[in-house]
Amino acid sequence: MSQSNIKLTSSEIASLWTSYLNNCMSKQVLTHMIQYVKDREIADVIRFAFRFAQKQGKRFETVFQKDEFAIPLGFSEADVNTKAPALFTDSFCLAYINHMAKAGLLAYGGFLAMSTREDLIAFFHHGLHYTSKLYHLSTSILEKKGLLVCAPYTSIPKEMDYIDNKKYLSGYSLFHKKRPLNAVEVSHLYMNTQTNNMGLKITMAFAQTTTNKKVQAYMLRGRDISQKYLKIFTDTLMNEGIQNPNSSDIGVTNSTVRTFSDKLMMFHIGLLSAAGVGNYAMAGGASQRSDLLLNYERLSMEIGQYAKDGADLMIKNKWLEQPPPTK
C-alpha cells in the first residue's frame, strides 16, 4: 500500500495533536521573550527557537491538510499581550528554553517511537533533530555565561560488584543506617530540584500577572508545592553530604501587567504538572532505596491532584481543548 494511503494510527493522531498544542504554546511565550531580550547571544537562542516553532507550525498544517485532520484550536496572538512589559530576565529566558528543550527531547523521542508511517517518522525525527540542536545551543550559551548548573559530582567507580544484602533496598530502619545514595538516585534528585526551581519561577510570574483570582490562587498553590518539593529534594541530598548545585541567578521581573491569557498559563502549568508526574514515576522506578520510592509515590499523588484541580478549573472556563475522540 502506498504510504500516502495509509491512515493515521491512534498513536500518531495523539502525537500530532499533543505536539501541535505544545508548539503553539511555546511560540506565543517566545513571542513575548523575543521582544525584550537585550543580550545578543541569548537573543540568537530565542530566535532559533522561535523560527523552529514557526516552521514546525507550517509543517503541522501540511500534515493536517493532507490527512483531513481538523486543526486543533491551540493558541494564537490573542493569547499574548505584545504591549506588556518584559516579564522575564534574559537569563531566565535562556534557562527556560534549555529546560523546555530537555522536555522536547523526551516528547519528540516518544512521538517518534509511536509513529510507523514514514512521513511521520521523518516529521518527528526532524523535530527531535532541531530540538537537540536547540538544547546544545542553549547549554553552550549557559556555560559561556556562567549560568550552567551541573549535577553534583560523585566518585568515579573503579570496580563493579553485585548487591549482596537486602538492606541495600531499605530506607527505613531502627537497627541500621541507610546506605549512601547511589549515582542513579542522585541524578534524579538533582533533576527534580531543577524542574521544581523552574516551576517555582513560572508560577510566580503567572500569579503576579493574572487578574483572575482563582487562577492566581492556583498559581500560588503551585508555587508553594514547588518550594516544598525543592526543599525535600535538596534536604535529601544535603543529609547525604552532597551539596546540591545552586541554581543560576535567573528570575522574573516585577511586572504585574497581564502578559499571557489565563488559558495559556493554565495549559502551561498543566504541561509542567504532567511532566512532574512522569519525572517522579521514572525516578521512583530507578531509585532502589525504599524511602525515596515512597517519597516519589507520595509526591506523584499530590501533583496529580494539583493537575486534576487545574483541569477542573480549565473545564469550568472552557479553556481545556478536548483530545481527538476515537469515534
Side-chain angles (χ1 to χ4, degrees):
M1 182 182 291
S2 170
Q3 281 285 319
S4 61
N5 295 325
I6 297 177
K7 293 177 62 178
L8 292 169
T9 66
S10 56
S11 296
E12 291 164 342
I13 290 172
S15 296
L16 285 167
W17 182 82
T18 303
S19 53
Y20 179 81
L21 290 181
N22 294 347
N23 190 73
C24 276
M25 184 272 298
S26 297
K27 181 182 172 184
Q28 301 313 319
V29 174
L30 293 168
T31 295
H32 173 74
M33 289 181 171
I34 208 167
Q35 279 187 278
Y36 298 105
V37 62
K38 297 176 182 177
D39 185 284
R40 189 171 299 176
E41 290 178 309
I42 296 176
D44 287 341
V45 177
I46 298 175
R47 289 192 190 96
F48 181 93
F50 182 76
R51 284 195 297 267
F52 169 62
Q54 274 188 318
K55 292 178 181 178
Q56 194 72 340
K58 293 178 181 177
R59 296 179 77 242
F60 273 115
E61 291 174 5
T62 299
V63 174
F64 291 150
Q65 185 176 16
K66 173 184 174 183
D67 285 276
E68 299 182 348
F69 189 130
I71 298 177
L73 299 173
F75 303 94
S76 68
E77 292 79 6
D79 291 294
V80 57
N81 178 12
T82 55
K83 296 181 180 179
L87 180 57
F88 308 115
T89 62
D90 284 7
S91 56
F92 177 89
C93 292
L94 181 59
Y96 172 88
I97 288 175
N98 185 259
H99 177 83
M100 296 304 286
K102 291 178 185 177
L105 288 172
L106 293 173
Y108 272 116
F111 299 146
L112 177 61
M114 289 192 289
S115 300
T116 53
R117 214 171 75 177
E118 286 184 12
D119 60 330
L120 293 184
I121 289 175
F123 180 90
F124 289 120
H125 182 269
H126 175 86
L128 184 61
H129 173 69
Y130 273 87
T131 304
S132 178
K133 290 180 69 173
L134 178 60
Y135 173 70
H136 185 200
L137 176 61
S138 58
T139 300
S140 297
I141 301 301
L142 280 169
E143 183 176 24
K144 182 177 180 180
K145 295 188 176 298
L147 298 171
L148 183 63
V149 182
C150 296
Y153 290 98
T154 56
S155 58
I156 297 175
K158 301 300 181 183
E159 58 183 20
M160 295 298 164
D161 200 357
Y162 288 99
I163 298 171
D164 60 4
N165 195 309
K166 292 181 180 179
K167 291 179 181 178
Y168 189 88
L169 305 178
S170 177
Y172 296 100
S173 177
L174 298 175
F175 306 105
H176 59 82
K177 290 183 178 180
K178 291 183 285 191
R179 63 159 174 81
L181 294 167
N182 61 41
V184 176
E185 292 161 344
V186 170
S187 69
H188 284 282
L189 287 165
Y190 159 75
M191 178 186 70
N192 285 308
T193 62
Q194 297 306 300
T195 56
N196 276 283
N197 186 56
M198 180 58 65
L200 174 63
K201 300 293 174 56
I202 293 175
T203 49
M204 286 173 57
F206 289 171
Q208 72 188 39
T209 54
T210 181
T211 56
N212 185 307
K213 295 301 182 184
K214 290 187 177 180
V215 171
Q216 184 180 59
Y218 186 76
M219 295 300 169
L220 292 175
R221 179 182 163 197
R223 177 204 61 185
D224 293 343
I225 289 174
S226 291
Q227 284 179 325
K228 181 174 72 173
Y229 289 9
L230 192 56
K231 186 176 188 305
I232 289 171
F233 297 133
T234 301
D235 286 352
T236 302
L237 289 169
M238 292 291 288
N239 289 339
E240 298 285 336
I242 299 173
Q243 181 69 43
N244 184 51
N246 292 324
S247 296
S248 55
D249 184 19
I250 61 172
V252 298
T253 69
N254 59 2
S255 172
T256 58
V257 178
R258 175 190 169 277
T259 307
F260 302 108
S261 68
D262 291 320
K263 172 188 170 184
L264 184 147
M265 292 189 292
M266 290 296 297
F267 176 87
H268 199 327
I269 297 304
L271 183 63
L272 295 180
S273 297
V277 172
N279 288 341
Y280 300 150
M282 181 169 61
S287 300
Q288 294 174 305
R289 221 171 68 179
S290 59
D291 60 323
L292 299 177
L293 175 58
L294 291 173
N295 233 0
Y296 286 126
E297 288 180 350
R298 178 174 60 84
L299 301 184
S300 292
M301 291 180 64
E302 184 176 6
I303 198 66
Q305 183 60 55
Y306 177 70
K308 197 268 183 187
D309 292 342
D312 288 343
L313 181 57
M314 292 184 75
I315 290 171
K316 184 177 181 180
N317 287 279
K318 300 188 184 303
W319 295 332
L320 188 60
E321 191 166 345
Q322 181 176 314
T326 56
K327 294 181 180 179

